[in-house]
Amino acid sequence: MTTSLQDGQSAAGRAAARDSPLTAQVCGAAQGRGDARDLAPAPWLQARALLPPPDGTRGCAADRRKKKDLDVLEMPSIPNPFPELCCSPFTSVLSAGLFPKAISRKKQVIKVYSEDETSRAVEVPSDITARDVCQLLILKNHYIDDHSWTLFEHLPHIGLERTIEDHELVMEVLSNWGMEEENKLYFRKNYAKYEFFKNPMYFFPEHMVSFATETNGEISPTQILQMFLSSSTYPEIHGFLHAKEQGKKSWKKIYFLLRRSGLYFSTKGTSKEPRHLQFFSEFGNSDIYVSLAGKKKHGAPTNYGFCFKPNKAGGPRDLKMLCAEEEQSRTCWVTAIRLLKYGMQLYQNYMHPYQGRSGCSSQSISPMRSISENSLVAMDFSGQKSRVIENPTEALSVAVEEGLAWRKKGCLRLATHGSPTASSQSSATNMAIHRSQPWFHHKISRDEAQRLIIQQGLVDGVFLVRDSQSNPKTFVLSMSHGQKIKHFQIIPVEDDGELFHTLDDGHTRFTDLIQLVEFYQLNKGVLPCKLKHYCARIAL
């Protein structure tokens, strides 16, 4: 019976140790001085404890108490998963060790510019990435995040610019700038940033791509892209480029070959033999830049220049300037160098655009729409009672009619401010309605339109509408297709006193430019492709 009682008390002690770490520590200390019976002393021992001890035994009792306390201190500590709920009796309740140490993150102020030269100063942590800066500006300016917003590094003194990759640390980029250089960070859209993952056939033409090993059959552009991301195989990009000789103003046309180890040029025609190849530049410690004014600043033979710039060196003498014959060739070289330098990191940036270091990156902070489209229904409020429109065809026609009615009301309001007579209301309305649209650029030249489209990416369907320089009464639709920029004149047509706009000599007519743009966003028509992305100049 005594043995079973002791076993029961030991079991109770073990159960208490599981339930409470503090109880486990006390029980463990008690077991270190004796067995479980010490926790429940006999009644005669309690009565004896009430009597005052003899004088000679007071010191011994004090020594025994000190020894017991030391035993408690010398016991090995049991890990406590909840240190904030209970603390040791030998430490203060407000001990600093009970609270996690705050991680100090230094913050700095950076200035970011937009295309209209407006700027915004933002305070950011020192470990913020380019994607996080874009996300922060998107939230502050209430823009829609379509994953095309990009941060650019602009070097005006040498006329260069490059895309800062989403994973790059912004402070590391700024640390490479000189004190006297007026470099800038630009925030704008770049629809071509990851377009090569979607349509690789536009970026790697067949005449510029070869393979180090023999392949059976034809290689698709998707397989070429997979080879770039693989560490074992890689395609070779080759072709003629104009290279600027070091320390000279002259340019020389040379045959170049891009491999995983770097960029090489051939000293004998188009020979790829190792004895004829010389090393030109590596891209591990260099960044690839696009030349903005190659002809003016560097005397380049064409406007499709790019260069290698070392990370730590900043003088124009350290630049290795190159120049392609056309935009498609330059895009192929720059894209291949980006893939060889960053590899799978670019693919991860494309697949997971919200991964960043700072706290402003989250998949839930910038929803494309606050209300689910499944919860929206078409309603008809024309009668005495409202009703739900269940027929999709009827819902579409009602939406078109309401849009036209709203547009006419807005046009009349704009026209009354511009002209008091009713005869001029129609023309004033058609002239005023498109001015507030983000895709319309009032008075820009052909070269400015091309520069704006190139900056935002030569992707099929990137467009803008502008005033015609040659004919003030007409407009021009400028768009990108096949790595080239094409211009289409929008001609006004008058019929029965009403003014229409057309792109196909009057076969398809539109009352205003908004109707024209909306139509060609849904239909290809006479254009080489549909209108997809509009070029807009934002203000920060």
Side-chain angles (χ1 to χ4, degrees):
M1 185 67 181
T2 306
T3 304
S4 61
L5 179 60
Q6 294 175 0
D7 295 340
Q9 290 175 348
S10 300
R14 289 194 297 270
R18 289 193 301 268
D19 296 337
S20 173
L22 185 60
T23 306
Q25 187 174 359
V26 175
C27 292
Q31 290 175 0
R33 296 189 302 269
D35 55 4
R37 287 176 293 180
D38 293 337
L39 296 176
W44 63 269
L45 187 57
Q46 293 179 358
R48 185 179 178 183
L50 295 177
L51 297 176
D55 295 340
T57 59
R58 288 186 180 180
C60 297
D63 294 339
R64 285 196 298 269
R65 283 195 299 269
K66 288 183 179 181
K67 186 177 180 181
K68 290 181 180 180
D69 294 340
L70 291 175
D71 292 339
V72 175
L73 290 174
E74 292 174 358
M75 286 298 298
S77 60
I78 300 176
N80 185 6
F82 306 101
E84 66 276 7
L85 298 181
C86 61
C87 59
S88 174
F90 305 101
T91 57
S92 173
V93 177
L94 299 179
S95 175
L98 299 178
F99 300 96
K101 295 182 179 180
I103 301 175
S104 59
R105 302 175 68 189
K106 295 181 180 180
K107 290 190 176 182
Q108 299 183 18
V109 177
I110 62 174
K111 182 179 285 188
V112 185
Y113 291 82
S114 64
E115 288 169 332
D116 60 352
E117 294 302 323
T118 59
S119 62
R120 184 161 188 166
V122 185
E123 187 180 19
V124 296
S126 58
D127 61 343
I128 194 169
T129 62
R131 175 59 195 170
D132 292 338
V133 172
C134 294
Q135 189 71 18
L136 187 62
L137 294 173
I138 290 169
L139 294 175
K140 287 183 177 293
N141 294 278
H142 307 286
Y143 297 141
I144 296 178
D145 187 8
D146 56 357
H147 311 321
S148 62
W149 294 102
T150 310
L151 203 63
F152 288 85
E153 181 186 5
H154 183 70
L155 311 179
H157 62 290
I158 50 179
L160 299 178
E161 188 178 78
R162 78 174 181 98
T163 299
I164 303 178
E165 303 296 345
D166 287 344
H167 65 276
E168 288 189 70
L169 298 180
V170 178
M171 294 308 169
E172 289 187 1
V173 177
L174 300 183
S175 64
N176 297 327
W177 292 0
M179 295 296 294
E180 299 179 355
E181 298 176 356
E182 298 180 355
N183 301 335
K184 295 181 180 179
L185 294 176
Y186 274 90
F187 172 69
R188 64 170 178 262
K189 288 196 172 185
N190 182 17
Y191 297 108
K193 180 168 60 172
Y194 298 124
E195 185 66 19
F196 51 86
F197 286 119
K198 304 175 185 177
N199 300 304
M201 69 286 298
Y202 297 145
F203 291 83
F204 304 107
E206 294 182 0
H207 67 278
M208 293 184 62
V209 182
S210 61
F211 303 94
T213 58
E214 296 183 359
T215 56
N216 297 326
E218 296 182 357
I219 303 297
S220 64
T222 305
Q223 292 175 329
I224 296 176
L225 195 61
Q226 292 175 354
M227 289 182 180
F228 273 114
L229 301 178
S230 174
S231 59
S232 57
T233 60
Y234 63 93
E236 293 180 344
I237 306 299
H238 59 88
F240 282 95
L241 291 172
H242 298 274
K244 187 177 181 181
E245 299 185 37
Q246 292 289 338
K248 298 181 181 180
K249 295 183 178 180
S250 60
W251 292 73
K252 188 177 181 180
K253 193 173 183 179
I254 309 174
Y255 184 78
F256 280 86
L257 186 68
L258 180 65
R259 293 178 175 175
R260 192 173 293 277
S261 57
L263 183 64
Y264 300 84
F265 66 93
S266 177
T267 58
K268 188 177 180 180
T270 59
S271 175
K272 296 182 181 180
E273 295 184 14
R275 59 192 180 95
H276 294 149
L277 294 180
Q278 287 191 10
F279 181 77
F280 181 80
S281 177
E282 54 87 28
F283 35 82
N285 296 321
S286 302
D287 292 318
I288 185 73
Y289 288 79
V290 173
S291 179
L292 301 178
K295 283 187 175 182
K296 183 178 180 180
K297 287 187 174 294
H298 306 285
T302 67
N303 288 322
Y304 311 109
F306 62 99
C307 78
F308 290 91
K309 179 180 177 296
N311 295 334
K312 301 302 179 182
R317 297 180 180 178
D318 299 322
L319 302 179
K320 296 185 177 180
M321 304 292 300
L322 297 168
C323 187
E325 292 288 347
E326 56 183 2
E327 181 61 37
Q328 187 182 27
S329 176
R330 178 172 70 171
T331 303
C332 179
W333 286 103
V334 174
T335 304
I337 293 170
R338 287 178 61 199
L339 284 169
L340 290 176
K341 181 177 181 179
Y342 298 108
M344 285 298 298
Q345 182 65 56
L346 282 186
Y347 186 71
Q348 292 176 3
N349 295 345
Y350 166 65
M351 294 299 296
H352 307 285
Y354 289 104
Q355 286 186 352
R357 294 197 178 190
S358 67
C360 62
S361 296
S362 175
Q363 296 185 4
S364 60
I365 54 180
S366 121
M368 294 295 293
R369 194 163 188 167
S370 59
I371 302 175
S372 174
E373 295 183 356
N374 297 329
S375 63
L376 303 178
V377 295
M379 299 291 294
D380 180 17
F381 298 99
S382 59
Q384 295 181 353
K385 294 182 179 180
S386 60
R387 66 181 181 90
V388 178
I389 304 176
E390 298 181 355
N391 188 357
T393 306
E394 183 185 1
L396 181 60
S397 62
V398 170
V400 173
E401 291 177 2
E402 289 182 355
L404 293 175
W406 173 85
R407 189 172 298 161
K408 290 179 180 178
K409 290 180 182 179
C411 292
L412 291 175
R413 287 195 299 270
L414 292 171
T416 53
H417 291 289
S419 175
T421 59
S423 59
S424 62
Q425 284 185 358
S426 176
S427 59
T429 295
N430 292 334
M431 290 295 295
I433 188 173
H434 57 268
R435 295 188 183 275
S436 61
Q437 300 302 311
W439 40 258
F440 182 76
H441 300 262
H442 183 38
K443 291 182 179 180
I444 61 173
S445 63
R446 184 188 186 98
D447 295 337
E448 289 177 327
Q450 292 185 165
R451 181 183 61 83
L452 189 60
I453 293 177
I454 290 175
Q455 282 184 348
Q456 300 199 12
L458 286 179
V459 177
D460 289 355
V462 176
F463 74 97
L464 60 85
V465 181
R466 57 185 175 89
D467 291 315
S468 176
Q469 297 288 322
S470 58
N471 191 351
K473 294 183 179 180
T474 62
F475 304 96
V476 177
L477 172 66
S478 302
M479 65 176 298
S480 172
H481 179 261
Q483 301 287 324
K484 296 181 180 180
I485 300 175
K486 302 179 181 180
H487 307 273
F488 301 89
Q489 193 170 27
I490 302 174
I491 303 174
V493 177
E494 188 174 354
D495 188 6
D496 293 335
E498 295 185 9
L499 186 66
F500 298 94
H501 300 278
T502 181
L503 278 174
D504 53 4
D505 297 330
H507 294 286
T508 309
R509 303 179 181 182
F510 306 95
T511 57
D512 52 59
L513 294 181
I514 296 181
Q515 273 192 349
L516 184 145
V517 170
E518 289 178 349
F519 175 83
Y520 287 106
Q521 284 178 329
L522 301 174
N523 306 277
K524 175 181 174 182
V526 295
L527 300 178
C529 65
K530 297 179 184 179
L531 303 180
K532 297 180 182 179
H533 312 291
Y534 60 84
C535 289
R537 286 181 172 176
I538 63 169
L540 290 176

